[in-house]
Amino acid sequence: MPYTIADMHDLDRTDPLARYRERFSLPDGVIYLDGNSLGALPRAVKARMDEVVATQWGEGLIRSWNTHDWIDLPDRVGDRVGRLIGAAPGTVTVADSTSVNLFKALGAALRLRPGRRVILTEKGDFPTDGYVATGLAELMGQGHEVRFVAADELASALSPEVAVLLATEVNYRTGARLDMAALSAAAHAVGALTIWDLCHSAGAFPVDLGAVDADFAVGCGYKYLNGGPGAPGFVYAAVRHHADLRQPLTGWLGHAAPFSFAEDYRPAEGIARMRVGTPPILSMQALDAALDAFEGVDLREVKAKADRLFSIFTAAVAELGLSLATPADPERRGTQVSLRHPEAYAVMQALIGRGVIGDFRQPDIMRFGLTPLYLRYEDVWAAAGILREIITSAAWDRPEFRRRAKVV
Ligand SMILES: *Cc1c(COP(=O)(O)O)cnc(C)c1O
């Protein structure tokens, strides 16, 4: 073991991010390494929910659409998310799920590239992106092709046939990170547009959509942003596209004047045209309150600490001989550790049984999310110790740990 518990205590004592742990409500006896799938509960959320339910809804009733400005909440929360991803004010709105936002962004992007028929995307990435692209291509009936290629072939597969490069910055399974700046430049060089899926990026490390000149982006509210189960996602469109942007889900709240109840659809100005229907105010208030946890936080420090946690965790389990699916180079990865084991599912269940919560992804991957705002060095060190015990003693080798739950 290259590190001792005393080293961990020293690191925690001098950690500039240590004070942010207080902003979260964490259960005793649990080391939570699944913030990449469902973020932990920020303390501010409960107080906000109490207030919103009792006062805004309970007493304000329908008046709260105006008095509490519920109607513009999607754009206000969008701007807060925008600050974490390098998006200018007025370019992000919070709405719907990531899948639905992808549909809208891709529909808009394809209309901006008439005559091009290829949607280029990464093979083996989170399937919803490919499913949505395929479904939209079928619906359009214009012969669009969704072309799946390996991550390292994306750049060379860009050609003047490509309408849109649809790519997830960080692979959900391996944690490998694409070079967003280089791929964006390569896409633009052939006249293609980009849609970046930031599900494993937003809130995890610095993202600068402005600097990479992204066209569109989407992402999740319930992973690193800690907005709660089923929190709405977000969608970004660069200002240069706003005037010509037409998205296919032309719902009434994306109308320029929804309360005119006009016969014809006329899109709202700016990013508001990405809205569809009535926003889920309770979930959106929870996400808004959750974003308080990022106030004053420097995401460069978050990534630097995640990288140190990564080194500690991987060094502490190195003797087990598990293969590391995540790139060793910090620039080439997000903030999760993925380890392979032939019985990854059972090992993960045994870990969860001991209070270390990560998750499993097909076929043989154990994922451990490193979320520096609420994880201490000592937590990650202890989790690695428990993983060592479980593997060296084969404690995972029991029938109950092999039984698959509906959600893994
Ligand atoms: C989590 C995740 C999603 C989730 O999509 P939903 O529509 O919110 O269920 C989409 N894409 C990627 C890459 C993800 O990791």
PDB file of all heavy atoms in Angstrom, residues 226-248:
ATOM      1  N   ASN A 226     -26.462  16.975  -9.303  1.00  0.00           N
ATOM      2  CA  ASN A 226     -27.135  16.627  -8.040  1.00  0.00           C
ATOM      3  C   ASN A 226     -28.579  17.118  -7.927  1.00  0.00           C
ATOM      4  O   ASN A 226     -29.073  17.382  -6.826  1.00  0.00           O
ATOM      5  CB  ASN A 226     -26.335  17.186  -6.828  1.00  0.00           C
ATOM      6  CG  ASN A 226     -24.862  16.856  -6.904  1.00  0.00           C
ATOM      7  OD1 ASN A 226     -24.497  15.695  -7.085  1.00  0.00           O
ATOM      8  ND2 ASN A 226     -24.007  17.855  -6.804  1.00  0.00           N
ATOM      9  N   GLY A 227     -29.266  17.218  -9.059  1.00  0.00           N
ATOM     10  CA  GLY A 227     -30.627  17.766  -9.052  1.00  0.00           C
ATOM     11  C   GLY A 227     -31.709  16.802  -8.573  1.00  0.00           C
ATOM     12  O   GLY A 227     -32.865  17.194  -8.458  1.00  0.00           O
ATOM     13  N   GLY A 228     -31.342  15.552  -8.314  1.00  0.00           N
ATOM     14  CA  GLY A 228     -32.334  14.601  -7.800  1.00  0.00           C
ATOM     15  C   GLY A 228     -32.840  13.675  -8.890  1.00  0.00           C
ATOM     16  O   GLY A 228     -32.739  13.970 -10.082  1.00  0.00           O
ATOM     17  N   PRO A 229     -33.424  12.534  -8.472  1.00  0.00           N
ATOM     18  CA  PRO A 229     -33.850  11.523  -9.444  1.00  0.00           C
ATOM     19  C   PRO A 229     -34.813  12.099 -10.481  1.00  0.00           C
ATOM     20  O   PRO A 229     -35.810  12.722 -10.121  1.00  0.00           O
ATOM     21  CB  PRO A 229     -34.536  10.457  -8.575  1.00  0.00           C
ATOM     22  CG  PRO A 229     -34.714  11.067  -7.225  1.00  0.00           C
ATOM     23  CD  PRO A 229     -33.702  12.154  -7.081  1.00  0.00           C
ATOM     24  N   GLY A 230     -34.492  11.900 -11.734  1.00  0.00           N
ATOM     25  CA  GLY A 230     -35.357  12.393 -12.799  1.00  0.00           C
ATOM     26  C   GLY A 230     -35.328  13.904 -12.976  1.00  0.00           C
ATOM     27  O   GLY A 230     -36.212  14.466 -13.631  1.00  0.00           O
ATOM     28  N   ALA A 231     -34.326  14.573 -12.417  1.00  0.00           N
ATOM     29  CA  ALA A 231     -34.211  16.033 -12.607  1.00  0.00           C
ATOM     30  C   ALA A 231     -34.202  16.336 -14.102  1.00  0.00           C
ATOM     31  O   ALA A 231     -33.695  15.545 -14.895  1.00  0.00           O
ATOM     32  CB  ALA A 231     -32.920  16.553 -11.968  1.00  0.00           C
ATOM     33  N   PRO A 232     -34.751  17.482 -14.500  1.00  0.00           N
ATOM     34  CA  PRO A 232     -34.723  17.806 -15.927  1.00  0.00           C
ATOM     35  C   PRO A 232     -33.290  17.990 -16.434  1.00  0.00           C
ATOM     36  O   PRO A 232     -32.382  18.282 -15.662  1.00  0.00           O
ATOM     37  CB  PRO A 232     -35.506  19.119 -16.013  1.00  0.00           C
ATOM     38  CG  PRO A 232     -35.530  19.664 -14.624  1.00  0.00           C
ATOM     39  CD  PRO A 232     -35.403  18.519 -13.704  1.00  0.00           C
ATOM     40  N   GLY A 233     -33.130  17.805 -17.723  1.00  0.00           N
ATOM     41  CA  GLY A 233     -31.831  18.003 -18.354  1.00  0.00           C
ATOM     42  C   GLY A 233     -31.690  19.427 -18.859  1.00  0.00           C
ATOM     43  O   GLY A 233     -32.533  20.290 -18.591  1.00  0.00           O
ATOM     44  N   PHE A 234     -30.609  19.668 -19.600  1.00  0.00           N
ATOM     45  CA  PHE A 234     -30.424  21.010 -20.159  1.00  0.00           C
ATOM     46  C   PHE A 234     -30.044  20.902 -21.626  1.00  0.00           C
ATOM     47  O   PHE A 234     -29.596  19.846 -22.096  1.00  0.00           O
ATOM     48  CB  PHE A 234     -29.364  21.802 -19.370  1.00  0.00           C
ATOM     49  CG  PHE A 234     -27.980  21.196 -19.391  1.00  0.00           C
ATOM     50  CD1 PHE A 234     -27.095  21.466 -20.427  1.00  0.00           C
ATOM     51  CD2 PHE A 234     -27.564  20.347 -18.366  1.00  0.00           C
ATOM     52  CE1 PHE A 234     -25.821  20.915 -20.446  1.00  0.00           C
ATOM     53  CE2 PHE A 234     -26.289  19.777 -18.377  1.00  0.00           C
ATOM     54  CZ  PHE A 234     -25.417  20.066 -19.416  1.00  0.00           C
ATOM     55  N   VAL A 235     -30.277  22.011 -22.322  1.00  0.00           N
ATOM     56  CA  VAL A 235     -29.904  22.058 -23.735  1.00  0.00           C
ATOM     57  C   VAL A 235     -29.308  23.426 -24.026  1.00  0.00           C
ATOM     58  O   VAL A 235     -29.785  24.448 -23.524  1.00  0.00           O
ATOM     59  CB  VAL A 235     -31.116  21.719 -24.649  1.00  0.00           C
ATOM     60  CG1 VAL A 235     -32.318  22.604 -24.381  1.00  0.00           C
ATOM     61  CG2 VAL A 235     -30.732  21.758 -26.132  1.00  0.00           C
ATOM     62  N   TYR A 236     -28.245  23.408 -24.803  1.00  0.00           N
ATOM     63  CA  TYR A 236     -27.508  24.626 -25.189  1.00  0.00           C
ATOM     64  C   TYR A 236     -27.542  24.771 -26.696  1.00  0.00           C
ATOM     65  O   TYR A 236     -27.421  23.774 -27.422  1.00  0.00           O
ATOM     66  CB  TYR A 236     -26.055  24.484 -24.725  1.00  0.00           C
ATOM     67  CG  TYR A 236     -25.056  25.383 -25.445  1.00  0.00           C
ATOM     68  CD1 TYR A 236     -24.790  26.675 -24.993  1.00  0.00           C
ATOM     69  CD2 TYR A 236     -24.366  24.931 -26.574  1.00  0.00           C
ATOM     70  CE1 TYR A 236     -23.876  27.492 -25.650  1.00  0.00           C
ATOM     71  CE2 TYR A 236     -23.448  25.742 -27.237  1.00  0.00           C
ATOM     72  CZ  TYR A 236     -23.205  27.020 -26.766  1.00  0.00           C
ATOM     73  OH  TYR A 236     -22.300  27.823 -27.420  1.00  0.00           O
ATOM     74  N   ALA A 237     -27.724  26.005 -27.154  1.00  0.00           N
ATOM     75  CA  ALA A 237     -27.535  26.291 -28.584  1.00  0.00           C
ATOM     76  C   ALA A 237     -26.744  27.585 -28.679  1.00  0.00           C
ATOM     77  O   ALA A 237     -27.055  28.567 -27.995  1.00  0.00           O
ATOM     78  CB  ALA A 237     -28.882  26.442 -29.296  1.00  0.00           C
ATOM     79  N   ALA A 238     -25.710  27.581 -29.511  1.00  0.00           N
ATOM     80  CA  ALA A 238     -24.875  28.774 -29.687  1.00  0.00           C
ATOM     81  C   ALA A 238     -25.727  29.912 -30.234  1.00  0.00           C
ATOM     82  O   ALA A 238     -26.624  29.689 -31.063  1.00  0.00           O
ATOM     83  CB  ALA A 238     -23.723  28.460 -30.639  1.00  0.00           C
ATOM     84  N   VAL A 239     -25.404  31.113 -29.811  1.00  0.00           N
ATOM     85  CA  VAL A 239     -26.188  32.294 -30.205  1.00  0.00           C
ATOM     86  C   VAL A 239     -26.296  32.404 -31.726  1.00  0.00           C
ATOM     87  O   VAL A 239     -27.350  32.777 -32.258  1.00  0.00           O
ATOM     88  CB  VAL A 239     -25.537  33.581 -29.623  1.00  0.00           C
ATOM     89  CG1 VAL A 239     -26.176  34.828 -30.226  1.00  0.00           C
ATOM     90  CG2 VAL A 239     -25.690  33.605 -28.110  1.00  0.00           C
ATOM     91  N   ARG A 240     -25.212  32.045 -32.426  1.00  0.00           N
ATOM     92  CA  ARG A 240     -25.236  32.231 -33.886  1.00  0.00           C
ATOM     93  C   ARG A 240     -26.321  31.397 -34.567  1.00  0.00           C
ATOM     94  O   ARG A 240     -26.681  31.676 -35.705  1.00  0.00           O
ATOM     95  CB  ARG A 240     -23.869  31.891 -34.497  1.00  0.00           C
ATOM     96  CG  ARG A 240     -23.437  30.447 -34.323  1.00  0.00           C
ATOM     97  CD  ARG A 240     -22.062  30.183 -34.946  1.00  0.00           C
ATOM     98  NE  ARG A 240     -21.572  28.843 -34.637  1.00  0.00           N
ATOM     99  CZ  ARG A 240     -21.007  28.499 -33.494  1.00  0.00           C
ATOM    100  NH1 ARG A 240     -20.839  29.376 -32.537  1.00  0.00           N
ATOM    101  NH2 ARG A 240     -20.596  27.251 -33.291  1.00  0.00           N
ATOM    102  N   HIS A 241     -26.833  30.380 -33.868  1.00  0.00           N
ATOM    103  CA  HIS A 241     -27.882  29.550 -34.475  1.00  0.00           C
ATOM    104  C   HIS A 241     -29.297  29.972 -34.078  1.00  0.00           C
ATOM    105  O   HIS A 241     -30.266  29.446 -34.626  1.00  0.00           O
ATOM    106  CB  HIS A 241     -27.695  28.076 -34.095  1.00  0.00           C
ATOM    107  CG  HIS A 241     -26.428  27.494 -34.613  1.00  0.00           C
ATOM    108  ND1 HIS A 241     -26.046  27.594 -35.927  1.00  0.00           N
ATOM    109  CD2 HIS A 241     -25.426  26.794 -33.985  1.00  0.00           C
ATOM    110  CE1 HIS A 241     -24.878  26.994 -36.093  1.00  0.00           C
ATOM    111  NE2 HIS A 241     -24.483  26.517 -34.931  1.00  0.00           N
ATOM    112  N   HIS A 242     -29.394  30.878 -33.096  1.00  0.00           N
ATOM    113  CA  HIS A 242     -30.729  31.138 -32.549  1.00  0.00           C
ATOM    114  C   HIS A 242     -31.748  31.591 -33.601  1.00  0.00           C
ATOM    115  O   HIS A 242     -32.871  31.094 -33.629  1.00  0.00           O
ATOM    116  CB  HIS A 242     -30.665  32.154 -31.405  1.00  0.00           C
ATOM    117  CG  HIS A 242     -30.084  31.573 -30.144  1.00  0.00           C
ATOM    118  ND1 HIS A 242     -30.112  32.222 -28.932  1.00  0.00           N
ATOM    119  CD2 HIS A 242     -29.445  30.403 -29.903  1.00  0.00           C
ATOM    120  CE1 HIS A 242     -29.525  31.481 -28.004  1.00  0.00           C
ATOM    121  NE2 HIS A 242     -29.102  30.365 -28.575  1.00  0.00           N
ATOM    122  N   ALA A 243     -31.325  32.508 -34.449  1.00  0.00           N
ATOM    123  CA  ALA A 243     -32.309  33.073 -35.385  1.00  0.00           C
ATOM    124  C   ALA A 243     -32.884  32.014 -36.325  1.00  0.00           C
ATOM    125  O   ALA A 243     -34.082  32.038 -36.643  1.00  0.00           O
ATOM    126  CB  ALA A 243     -31.672  34.209 -36.180  1.00  0.00           C
ATOM    127  N   ASP A 244     -32.056  31.074 -36.753  1.00  0.00           N
ATOM    128  CA  ASP A 244     -32.514  30.077 -37.738  1.00  0.00           C
ATOM    129  C   ASP A 244     -32.921  28.757 -37.102  1.00  0.00           C
ATOM    130  O   ASP A 244     -33.219  27.797 -37.812  1.00  0.00           O
ATOM    131  CB  ASP A 244     -31.394  29.799 -38.749  1.00  0.00           C
ATOM    132  CG  ASP A 244     -31.061  31.049 -39.554  1.00  0.00           C
ATOM    133  OD1 ASP A 244     -31.998  31.831 -39.817  1.00  0.00           O
ATOM    134  OD2 ASP A 244     -29.878  31.247 -39.885  1.00  0.00           O
ATOM    135  N   LEU A 245     -32.884  28.712 -35.797  1.00  0.00           N
ATOM    136  CA  LEU A 245     -33.109  27.431 -35.128  1.00  0.00           C
ATOM    137  C   LEU A 245     -34.592  27.037 -35.152  1.00  0.00           C
ATOM    138  O   LEU A 245     -35.445  27.773 -34.668  1.00  0.00           O
ATOM    139  CB  LEU A 245     -32.599  27.560 -33.689  1.00  0.00           C
ATOM    140  CG  LEU A 245     -32.478  26.307 -32.831  1.00  0.00           C
ATOM    141  CD1 LEU A 245     -31.441  26.559 -31.741  1.00  0.00           C
ATOM    142  CD2 LEU A 245     -33.770  25.905 -32.208  1.00  0.00           C
ATOM    143  N   ARG A 246     -34.872  25.867 -35.720  1.00  0.00           N
ATOM    144  CA  ARG A 246     -36.228  25.308 -35.709  1.00  0.00           C
ATOM    145  C   ARG A 246     -36.128  23.908 -35.137  1.00  0.00           C
ATOM    146  O   ARG A 246     -35.489  23.044 -35.720  1.00  0.00           O
ATOM    147  CB  ARG A 246     -36.792  25.196 -37.134  1.00  0.00           C
ATOM    148  CG  ARG A 246     -36.993  26.526 -37.831  1.00  0.00           C
ATOM    149  CD  ARG A 246     -38.175  27.319 -37.249  1.00  0.00           C
ATOM    150  NE  ARG A 246     -38.330  28.594 -37.922  1.00  0.00           N
ATOM    151  CZ  ARG A 246     -37.625  29.702 -37.639  1.00  0.00           C
ATOM    152  NH1 ARG A 246     -36.702  29.684 -36.685  1.00  0.00           N
ATOM    153  NH2 ARG A 246     -37.812  30.810 -38.310  1.00  0.00           N
ATOM    154  N   GLN A 247     -36.728  23.705 -33.972  1.00  0.00           N
ATOM    155  CA  GLN A 247     -36.666  22.350 -33.402  1.00  0.00           C
ATOM    156  C   GLN A 247     -38.010  21.673 -33.625  1.00  0.00           C
ATOM    157  O   GLN A 247     -39.047  22.345 -33.730  1.00  0.00           O
ATOM    158  CB  GLN A 247     -36.231  22.414 -31.939  1.00  0.00           C
ATOM    159  CG  GLN A 247     -37.128  23.203 -31.008  1.00  0.00           C
ATOM    160  CD  GLN A 247     -38.028  22.305 -30.196  1.00  0.00           C
ATOM    161  OE1 GLN A 247     -38.180  21.126 -30.500  1.00  0.00           O
ATOM    162  NE2 GLN A 247     -38.651  22.871 -29.187  1.00  0.00           N
ATOM    163  N   PRO A 248     -38.001  20.335 -33.695  1.00  0.00           N
ATOM    164  CA  PRO A 248     -39.211  19.637 -34.137  1.00  0.00           C
ATOM    165  C   PRO A 248     -40.345  19.538 -33.111  1.00  0.00           C
ATOM    166  O   PRO A 248     -41.486  19.301 -33.498  1.00  0.00           O
ATOM    167  CB  PRO A 248     -38.698  18.237 -34.496  1.00  0.00           C
ATOM    168  CG  PRO A 248     -37.430  18.062 -33.720  1.00  0.00           C
ATOM    169  CD  PRO A 248     -36.844  19.427 -33.555  1.00  0.00           C
TER     170      PRO A 248
END
